[in-house]
Amino acid sequence: MKTFETERLILKSAEVQDADFFLELYNMPSFIKYIGDRNLRTREDAENYIKNRFLPQIEKLGFGNYVVILKEDNTKIGAVGIFEREGLDVLDIGFSFFEKYEGKGFAYESANKLKEVAATDFGVNKISAITTKDNYSSQKLIEKLGLKFRKMVAIPNDDEELMYYEN
């Protein structure tokens, strides 16, 4: 699996061995509020989620979801990915970080790197992002990444209308 580096971070492809990390990250109250409940309750749920959701896309497209790791101490601090998402025609960039690492530029640093890699290594120049109307920090980051608000969208199996951005 390919990894990418920035000045402070390592982006490593998600693997089954990251199940405990995703179990914790995806059960944060802010993740459930702004991104949604992925119904991961056990390590096995997280392993299956990685096997069924992350790995097939990585095999198909060559990229997907990455664990973001601090270089200074190898701590897993969040995740960033570019995803094929049902209901969207354009690949979607997304990110989530443990609260203690928010507001330090890590989300922008990792998402911007992944956006660059997608363009240079995979020819993906058009990306989108979706977020809730009340997730102001994500909106700000999405705009900093060069995406512009285009419209409100509804994606399958989600009742909430989401803000849709595209570059």
Side-chain angles (χ1 to χ4, degrees):
M1 294 288 179
K2 205 164 187 187
T3 61
F4 307 102
E5 293 190 23
T6 67
E7 184 180 329
R8 303 181 294 169
L9 307 170
I10 299 167
L11 282 63
K12 174 192 81 66
S13 286
E15 301 171 292
V16 175
Q17 296 86 335
D18 298 312
D20 289 332
F21 163 76
F22 281 105
L23 184 63
E24 184 180 354
L25 186 69
Y26 281 23
N27 280 296
M28 290 188 318
S30 59
F31 186 97
I32 292 169
K33 177 181 179 181
Y34 293 123
I35 299 172
D37 189 348
R38 299 297 189 246
N39 294 308
L40 304 183
R41 302 295 179 254
T42 65
R43 179 181 172 80
E44 185 180 8
D45 291 343
E47 288 173 352
N48 288 330
Y49 194 86
I50 294 165
K51 287 177 194 170
N52 298 324
R53 300 288 295 269
F54 298 161
L55 299 184
Q57 182 184 311
I58 291 168
E59 289 170 20
K60 177 182 171 188
L61 300 178
F63 58 86
N65 202 2
Y66 294 84
V67 176
V68 179
I69 302 165
L70 272 180
K71 279 183 178 179
E72 69 181 3
D73 63 5
N74 273 350
T75 302
K76 295 176 182 178
I77 63 169
V80 63
I82 295 182
F83 308 97
E84 280 187 320
R85 195 175 301 278
E86 189 180 358
L88 297 180
D89 297 330
V90 178
L91 291 168
D92 169 56
I93 192 165
F95 39 82
S96 56
F97 284 78
F98 290 122
E99 288 177 13
K100 75 183 264 187
Y101 298 102
E102 291 177 358
K104 297 175 176 17
F106 297 129
Y108 175 76
E109 188 175 325
S110 59
N112 195 52
K113 177 66 175 183
L114 187 55
K115 188 177 152 217
E116 287 173 13
V117 167
T120 57
D121 293 10
F122 300 100
V124 175
N125 294 304
K126 190 169 195 164
I127 61 167
S128 69
I130 51 176
T131 190
T132 58
K133 287 179 266 210
D134 59 345
N135 192 344
Y136 304 112
S137 60
S138 280
Q139 293 167 27
K140 193 171 151 188
L141 174 55
I142 290 165
E143 290 170 1
K144 189 174 179 182
L145 288 169
L147 284 72
K148 304 274 184 254
F149 174 75
R150 302 287 188 220
K151 61 186 175 183
M152 298 301 291
V153 297
I155 58 172
N157 305 315
D158 193 341
D159 298 335
E160 188 173 5
E161 231 187 5
L162 300 169
M163 298 177 74
Y164 176 85
Y165 294 76
E166 196 173 281
N167 63 343

